[in-house]
């Protein structure tokens, strides 16, 4: 079982049948004049996707959004460009650790972006080998920074400090940018209120079963509508809809105005994830805006093996509950309880029931249980990390 | 450039801040010989006038004092003393950037009736960080709006902290009103728009201002805004429906009850206000989470707005009677703009006509109308595409274009496109 990942523009629909030997399905990103407007999953019969079928399925998949983009295009209207604001320049930051193969793909992708004066910084987070440094040395335009303290959020903070430009765009080392990615990100920083921009992340490949499972179980895709997130009440918000760390950008001044990433969260610590979402919540609470724009597109290589996948989903569970624990402990947000309960009751419980009954289209049981196990381990993981970092701070001051 | 610019700064017992900002004004890129600064001390008892008399500035500094009459009167007084062609009104707590005066003057060249709104960067310094952040967000959103070429300028866009206008136009509309104590800037904006003032925004004419908002100050301000809304309705009957919509129109039940309470039993309403205030104070002392306080403060904002409104109006009948009976009638017939020949042509037509209202058609198909709004500038080309892209017209526009091009798009674009139409017909979507 493998799924072909295709990228089709409505303005250039394929005229010939597509030969897709060794694929049973096709996962198609649909664009309209370069802008992503939808996605669809089509079965492939006998290794061939006929042009007629492809066209029909693709058109059916984008019905609701297509005409809106069509009319915008007809009028020549782009709300992002209407703001007469001097756009900032960007620093692209890649936080990596011992993944030279992925990093190389990412750097090669970044090299193809149009040059708008951006700089590229690789933050190597407590590496066990010298591989990343040697790889980066072969790219003359890329700057290498070593962050010895383990933890993705440490690396992110370091990237924000090291950046020379006004906006820092984070991309995962296992992701590849679309050609228009950075321009689309920057186009949304069109107001001093916009502190953060997130984008659309699509699967780079769906070659293994684990990758297909990941894409159907926990896709990065947050829809094909540009959205503005504002919270004037400063209430506790669940930030799952906003985006993820694989594709997000901040103003450098976020450090002064909102604060740095919480070192107790995310990869490299027992909490495993959640650092990005904690930052989103804090930005909104400080009265700034976040924009999700699907035009800022990048492609993410999902975990290839099943063990990695289960570990990753477990990590997400840990991260969410560690984050909720942080809200509860640090901000005295009692609503963390109701958020946790609602999440369980409305999403996790039905998923679990479906998986147990083995209904068609049910999520794999091992992933559901991995997530739940992660959730249970989350609070303890948070306290553990917090204690550790406190001890480290005391030691430092002594 | 030989334009003399007069900066008018009203001040009230803030000599230290004022001295600092005057020093900063000394570093302008605009020649100091073409600048004069007029400080009007409004009811100052901190020795403002004496201290300014000792001051040595590169530009000409004129100081005037008056008994406490409010900032509007002070600005009028300052304008009376000014000898420049361009009046730049500036608050005393604003730190200007070096290009400030130059940007203001530049924006006036070539346009007689220009009104320039300058950018203000909000620096949060107040203790109540949460409230200050909300105010900062409001200011930035406001400037984001003004920044857009598609923005339809209206009287509520004039904020008195940082704007400039030619002396001729300012004198032609007789300056600030003495009746309005709150939103006197909006009221001036209204008369400037009616007199044909051409508003624009300048990001370069920038200043930094420090925000120290707190709930109590804001409540007082909100009450003033309520009063001002009624005053607007009284002086400009076209705005009466807006007030009546609040007092009589469809409202949430809670608000309706509150309005009834205010109208019938003012004492009980005041009691309710005290109860709300007491609860907010309790929340402050208990140091409850800010969102909770914010939601409560919002209730109080609304309460004070209604309080100001109804205290000023007396009763709904009295308000209706006091507002003169002539209602606002559209002066012109709407201009009919056909979009079929392309949007560029339609835009040219709109710019040539500058109509107050527009009827939009696409060939035989109706799209809708852009109405005549009181206190708004006439329609211009920049507004068209934004209006068409808005939800209101989007679907109609789509239908009109589609019908016109004989496409079966009604609800099912996919099938039509997918099966029957050959590839050449895609071309126009791209072109």
């Amino acid at each position: 079982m493998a799924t072909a990942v295709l990228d089709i523009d409505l303005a250039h629909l394929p005229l010939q049948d597509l030969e897709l030997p060794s694929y049973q399905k096709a996962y198609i990103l649909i664009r309209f004049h370069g802008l992503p407007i939808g996605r669809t999953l089509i079965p492939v019969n006998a290794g061939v996707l006929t042009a007629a079928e492809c066209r029909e399925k693709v058109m059916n998949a984008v019905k609701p959004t297509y005409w809106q983009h069509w009319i915008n295009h007809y009028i020549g209207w782009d709300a992002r460009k209407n703001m007469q604001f001097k756009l900032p320049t960007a620093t692209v930051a890649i936080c990596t650790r011992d993944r030279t193969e992925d990093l190389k793909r990412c750097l090669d992708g970044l090299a193809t972006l149009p040059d708008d004066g951006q700089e590229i910084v690789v933050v190597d987070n407590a590496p066990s080998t010298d591989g990343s440094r040697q790889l980066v040395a072969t790219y003359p335009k890329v700057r290498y920074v070593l962050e010895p303290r383990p933890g993705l959020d440490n690396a992110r903070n370091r990237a924000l400090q090291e950046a020379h430009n006004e906006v820092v765009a984070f991309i995962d080392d296992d992701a590849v940018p679309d050609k228009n990615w950075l321009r689309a990100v920057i186009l949304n920083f069109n107001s001093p209120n916009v502190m953060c921009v997130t984008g659309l992340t699509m699967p780079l490949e769906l070659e293994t079963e684990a990758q297909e499972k990941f894409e159907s179980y926990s896709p990065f895709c947050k829809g094909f509508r540009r959205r503005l997130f504002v919270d004037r009440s400063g209430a506790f918000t669940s930030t799952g809809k906003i985006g993820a760390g694989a594709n997000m950008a901040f103003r450098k001044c976020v450090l002064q105005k909102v604060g740095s990433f919480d070192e107790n969260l995310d990869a490299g610590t027992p909490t495993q994830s959640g650092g990005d979402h904690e930052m989103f919540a804090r930005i909104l609470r400080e009265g700034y805006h976040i924009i999700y724009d699907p035009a800022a597109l990048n492609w993410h290589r999902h975990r290839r093996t099943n063990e990695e996948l289960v570990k990753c989903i477990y990590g997400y569970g840990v991260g969410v509950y560690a984050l909720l624990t942080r809200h509860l402990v640090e901000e005295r947000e009692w609503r963390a309880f109701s958020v946790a309960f609602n999440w369980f009751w409305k999403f996790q419980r039905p998923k679990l029931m479906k998986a147990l009954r083995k209904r068609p289209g049910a999520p794999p049981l091992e992933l559901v249980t991995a997530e739940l196990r992660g959730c249970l381990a989350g609070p303890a993981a948070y306290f553990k990390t917090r204690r550790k970092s406190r001890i480290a701070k005391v030691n430092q001051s002594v | 450039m030989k334009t003399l610019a007069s900066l008018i700064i009203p001040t009230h017992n803030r000599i230290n801040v004022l001295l600092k900002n005057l020093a900063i004004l000394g570093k302008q890129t605009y020649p100091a010989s073409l600048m004069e600064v007029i400080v009007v001390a409004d009811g100052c008892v901190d020795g403002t006038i004496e201290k300014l008399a000792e001051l040595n500035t590169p530009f000409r500094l004129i100081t005037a004092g008056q008994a406490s009459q409010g900032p509007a009167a002070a600005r009028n007084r300052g304008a009376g003393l000014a000898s420049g062609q361009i009046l730049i009104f500036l608050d005393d707590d604003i730190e200007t950037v070096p290009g400030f005066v130059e940007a203001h003057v530049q924006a006036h060249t070539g346009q007689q009736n220009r009104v320039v709104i300058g950018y203000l960067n909000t620096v949060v310094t107040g203790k109540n960080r949460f409230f200050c952040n909300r105010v900062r967000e409001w200011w930035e959103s406001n400037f984001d709006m003004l920044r857009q070429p598609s923005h339809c300028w209206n009287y509520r866009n004039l904020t008195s902290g940082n704007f400039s206008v030619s002396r001729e136009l300012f004198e032609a509309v007789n300056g600030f009103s003495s009746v309005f104590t709150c939103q006197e800037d909006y009221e001036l904006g209204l008369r400037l728009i009616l007199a044909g003032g051409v508003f624009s925004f300048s990001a370069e004419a920038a200043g930094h201002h420090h925000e120290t908002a707190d709930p109590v100050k804001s409540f007082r301000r909100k009450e003033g805004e309520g009063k001002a809304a009624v005053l607007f309705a009284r002086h400009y009957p076209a705005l009466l429906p807006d007030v009546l919509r609040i007092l009589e129109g469809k409202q949430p039940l809670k608000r309706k009850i509150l309005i009834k309470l205010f109208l019938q039993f003012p004492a009980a309403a005041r009691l309710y206000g005290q109860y709300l205030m007491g609860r907010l104070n309790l929340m402050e002392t208990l140091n409850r989470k800010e969102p909770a306080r914010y939601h409560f403060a919002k209730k109080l904002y609304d309460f004070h707005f209604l309080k100001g409104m109804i205290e000023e109006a007396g009763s709904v009948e009295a308000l209706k009677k006091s507002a003169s009976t002539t209602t606002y009638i559209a002066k012109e017939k709407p201009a009919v703009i056909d979009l079929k020949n392309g949007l560029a042509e339609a835009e040219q037509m709109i710019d040539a006509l500058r109509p107050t209202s527009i009827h939009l058609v696409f060939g035989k198909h109706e799209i809708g109308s852009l109405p005549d709004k009181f206190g708004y500038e006439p329609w211009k080309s920049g507004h068209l595409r934004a209006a068409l892209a808005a939800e209101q017209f989007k679907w109609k526009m789509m239908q009109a274009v589609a019908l016109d091009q004989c496409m079966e798009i009604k609800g099912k674009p996919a099938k039509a496109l997918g099966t029957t139409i050959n590839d050449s017909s895609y071309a126009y979507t791209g072109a």
Side-chain angles (χ1 to χ4, degrees):
Chain A
M1 285 281 277
T3 306
V5 178
L6 304 177
D7 183 353
I8 290 180
D9 199 310
L10 290 184
H12 315 282
L13 277 170
L15 304 176
Q16 264 108 44
D17 295 350
L18 296 168
E19 302 267 348
L20 300 168
S22 78
Y23 289 109
Q24 283 77 44
K25 278 181 270 178
Y27 181 100
I28 303 179
L29 171 74
I30 306 159
R31 308 197 199 211
F32 181 63
H33 293 284
L35 287 178
I37 65 168
R39 59 170 175 165
T40 185
L41 193 64
I42 309 179
V44 176
N45 293 324
V48 178
L49 182 63
T50 63
E53 194 193 356
C54 172
R55 182 181 296 174
E56 175 156 0
K57 292 272 166 64
V58 161
M59 291 309 291
N60 276 329
V62 289
K63 254 191 224 172
T65 43
Y66 172 54
W67 72 268
Q68 302 216 359
H69 283 269
W70 187 90
I71 198 71
N72 278 350
H73 190 262
Y74 179 86
I75 300 170
W77 178 253
D78 186 342
R80 300 171 303 175
K81 287 180 186 158
N82 190 34
M83 303 273 217
Q84 299 275 301
F85 191 74
K86 199 177 160 284
L87 294 174
T89 48
T91 294
V92 179
I94 311 156
C95 302
T96 187
R97 181 184 208 178
D98 300 341
R99 280 209 283 211
T100 46
E101 188 199 330
D102 284 323
L103 182 62
K104 183 169 185 325
R105 195 188 317 110
C106 182
L107 288 173
D108 288 340
L110 286 170
T112 64
L113 297 184
D115 186 7
D116 295 331
Q118 71 264 27
E119 63 161 351
I120 300 170
V121 177
V122 172
V123 183
D124 201 0
N125 191 207
S128 62
T129 68
D130 203 28
S132 298
R133 181 199 291 273
Q134 282 167 7
L135 175 71
V136 173
T138 61
Y139 292 85
K141 281 188 182 166
V142 180
R143 190 147 58 95
Y144 177 89
V145 175
L146 178 75
E147 172 55 54
R149 292 174 305 155
L152 180 54
D153 274 1
N154 282 325
R156 284 175 178 152
N157 287 333
R158 183 67 189 272
L160 285 170
Q161 287 159 8
E162 290 282 340
H164 293 150
N165 291 336
E166 201 185 326
V167 164
V168 184
F170 288 96
I171 184 167
D172 273 7
D173 54 0
D174 51 2
V176 184
D178 187 63
K179 224 177 181 169
N180 200 31
W181 171 67
L182 193 59
R183 281 203 176 156
V185 166
I186 292 300
L187 211 48
N188 287 293
F189 281 99
N190 55 13
S191 153
N193 264 340
V194 178
M195 191 52 89
C196 171
V197 172
T198 62
L200 171 67
T201 300
M202 287 271 117
L204 180 70
E205 53 171 42
L206 297 170
E207 299 291 335
T208 69
E209 207 183 329
Q211 291 179 323
E212 287 175 333
K213 270 192 205 161
F214 182 90
E215 189 54 37
S216 66
Y217 186 77
S218 137
F220 281 125
C221 173
K222 309 285 172 200
F224 291 87
R225 231 157 34 84
R226 183 171 175 265
R227 293 180 69 179
L228 172 70
F229 294 89
V230 189
D231 188 357
R232 295 193 174 87
S233 69
F236 173 72
T237 1
S238 52
T239 47
K241 285 177 197 154
I242 296 175
N247 189 354
M248 61 178 187
F250 301 89
R251 279 181 199 283
K252 191 172 149 69
C253 61
V254 75
L255 281 179
Q256 293 90 43
K257 298 208 165 142
V258 180
S260 52
F261 284 94
D262 186 346
E263 297 169 9
N264 295 334
L265 292 173
D266 229 309
T269 71
T271 52
Q272 302 194 41
S273 69
D276 42 1
H277 292 260
E278 191 273 328
M279 189 54 142
F280 296 154
R282 204 141 31 98
I283 286 175
L284 291 177
R285 207 164 39 227
E286 282 292 313
Y288 291 99
H289 301 175
I290 300 178
I291 290 176
Y292 166 74
D293 189 351
L297 167 71
N298 69 17
W299 305 84
H300 181 260
R301 191 218 19 106
H302 300 333
R303 273 87 180 157
R304 285 187 180 127
T305 64
N306 212 43
E307 295 86 73
E308 280 178 297
L309 171 69
V310 172
K311 211 179 136 209
C312 170
I313 297 291
Y314 173 81
Y316 287 168
V318 176
V320 172
Y321 268 63
L323 177 60
L324 289 174
T325 314
R326 184 193 187 277
H327 280 305
L328 192 67
V329 177
E330 303 272 318
E331 331 264 354
R332 288 175 295 137
E333 273 294 0
W334 298 106
R335 262 173 293 183
F337 284 117
S338 67
V339 169
F341 179 76
N342 279 337
W343 193 43
F344 174 76
W345 195 252
K346 283 191 191 146
F347 299 103
Q348 290 176 320
R349 187 187 56 98
K351 250 190 320 199
L352 183 66
M353 299 308 274
K354 242 183 175 178
L356 282 173
R357 286 184 200 142
K358 294 208 168 60
R359 289 276 167 84
L365 184 62
E366 59 174 340
L367 295 189
V368 182
T369 49
E371 186 180 289
L372 286 170
R373 273 188 293 120
C375 291
L376 290 176
Y382 178 71
F383 287 119
K384 195 173 150 194
T385 333
R386 201 164 77 133
R387 197 168 56 236
K388 230 191 214 169
S389 67
R390 274 186 182 168
I391 292 168
K393 259 181 207 154
V394 170
N395 285 347
Q396 230 172 30
S397 59
V398 170
Chain B
M1 272 195 302
K2 273 263 165 126
T3 321
L4 181 64
S6 303
L7 282 81
I8 296 156
I9 307 176
T11 183
H12 178 71
N13 290 334
R14 270 209 281 209
I15 180 65
N16 290 331
V17 177
L18 180 66
L19 285 176
K20 191 179 101 194
N21 292 333
L22 283 176
I24 292 170
L25 263 180
K27 293 170 195 149
Q28 287 292 313
T29 55
Y30 201 68
S33 56
L34 291 174
M35 256 172 75
E36 62 173 7
V37 176
I38 300 148
V39 176
V40 183
D42 182 51
C44 287
V45 289
D46 60 348
T48 299
I49 296 174
E50 293 77 37
K51 276 181 191 151
L52 289 179
E54 298 163 12
L55 202 65
N56 223 339
T57 53
F59 44 79
R60 194 165 154 239
L61 180 68
I62 303 165
T63 315
Q66 62 175 33
S68 193
Q69 293 170 41
R75 289 192 182 101
N76 280 343
R77 176 88 193 276
L81 295 169
S83 47
Q85 290 105 296
I86 290 169
L87 308 179
I88 303 174
F89 291 91
L90 188 65
D91 278 354
D92 57 355
D93 61 342
I94 290 169
E95 293 166 22
T96 49
V97 300
F100 175 80
V101 177
E102 197 179 335
H104 266 297
V105 174
Q106 191 82 50
H108 282 269
T109 44
Q111 175 58 258
Q112 273 292 306
N113 290 336
R114 182 71 75 195
V115 179
V116 182
I117 316 291
Y119 174 66
L120 283 178
N121 172 36
T122 309
V123 184
V124 171
T125 44
K127 272 187 201 141
N128 197 328
R129 201 178 151 81
F130 185 80
F131 271 86
C132 290
N133 275 336
R134 307 303 118 171
V135 178
R136 183 198 56 72
E137 199 256 357
W138 183 87
W139 275 107
E140 292 293 3
S141 297
N142 179 54
F143 289 127
D144 282 349
M145 187 174 72
L146 304 188
R147 206 175 268 141
Q148 299 177 15
S150 64
H151 175 60
C152 192
W153 286 90
N154 63 71
Y155 67 100
R156 300 179 85 84
N157 297 142
L158 190 93
T159 40
S160 57
N162 174 7
F163 81 101
S164 67
V165 56
S166 73
R167 195 170 59 163
E168 216 175 304
L169 185 60
F170 187 77
E171 280 169 1
V173 300
N174 288 324
F176 283 95
S177 156
S178 53
V179 182
F180 283 69
T181 49
C182 183
Q183 293 189 339
E184 71 281 358
D185 41 3
Y186 289 3
E187 200 272 343
L188 177 70
L190 184 57
R191 279 179 293 122
L192 285 173
I193 278 233
L194 294 179
V198 183
F199 282 57
S200 71
F201 172 74
S202 171
E204 287 79 36
H208 306 280
H209 97 278
H210 296 266
E211 188 54 61
T212 53
D214 66 52
V216 177
K217 242 192 266 173
S218 318
F219 295 150
R220 207 176 309 138
R221 160 111 198 142
K222 210 75 200 168
E223 207 172 311
E225 283 174 17
K227 284 188 171 146
V230 172
L231 283 174
F232 268 113
R234 227 174 248 158
H235 287 82
Y236 304 98
L239 298 173
L240 182 62
D242 295 344
V243 177
L244 291 182
R245 208 172 300 133
I246 296 173
L247 293 180
E248 293 184 323
K250 216 176 155 193
Q251 296 283 342
L253 185 66
K254 268 188 184 170
R255 206 164 181 223
K256 253 190 172 163
I257 293 171
L258 187 59
I259 291 166
K260 271 262 144 37
L261 204 65
F262 263 124
L263 286 168
Q264 309 284 336
F265 312 101
R270 273 198 295 278
L271 212 63
Y272 175 65
Q274 278 167 7
Y275 157 74
L276 286 180
M277 204 59 215
R279 268 192 69 181
L280 184 73
N281 287 336
L282 189 70
M283 281 179 164
E284 298 271 337
T285 40
L286 290 177
N287 201 11
R288 276 288 306 278
K289 284 211 64 62
E290 272 161 334
R293 276 192 251 163
Y294 180 70
H295 279 294
F296 221 77
K298 253 171 78 178
K299 261 190 189 175
L300 271 156
Y301 278 137
D302 197 43
F303 173 85
H304 281 94
F305 184 76
L306 288 174
K307 181 170 175 243
M309 212 170 189
I310 291 163
E311 274 180 8
E312 183 66 41
S315 70
V316 179
E317 288 71 35
L319 177 65
K320 279 184 187 163
K321 220 180 277 173
S322 72
S324 70
T325 46
T326 50
T327 45
Y328 183 70
I329 306 159
K331 279 165 255 147
E332 304 161 25
K333 264 192 181 170
V336 178
I337 302 285
D338 193 346
L339 305 172
K340 199 175 171 182
N341 299 329
L343 294 180
E345 196 172 298
E347 281 173 333
Q348 270 177 14
M349 239 175 100
I350 294 174
D351 266 346
L353 293 170
R354 291 307 301 273
T356 49
S357 60
I358 294 179
H359 190 68
L360 291 169
V361 293
F362 191 100
K364 284 187 220 152
H365 311 287
E366 257 185 53
I367 305 287
S369 59
L370 304 174
D372 181 2
K373 280 193 264 180
F374 181 74
Y376 283 65
E377 67 170 342
W379 297 100
K380 64 181 179 203
S381 59
H383 301 146
L384 182 65
R385 284 171 207 255
L388 290 176
E391 287 305 316
Q392 190 189 354
F393 294 133
K394 224 177 192 174
W395 182 238
K396 281 221 162 145
M397 182 72 191
M398 169 73 187
Q399 282 177 318
V401 179
L403 284 170
D404 197 70
Q405 310 208 1
C406 300
M407 276 171 58
E408 290 283 0
I409 288 208
K410 274 189 188 164
K412 279 193 177 175
K415 211 169 176 195
L417 283 171
T419 52
T420 55
I421 297 193
N422 62 22
D423 282 297
S424 62
S425 65
Y426 288 113
Y428 76 82
T429 61

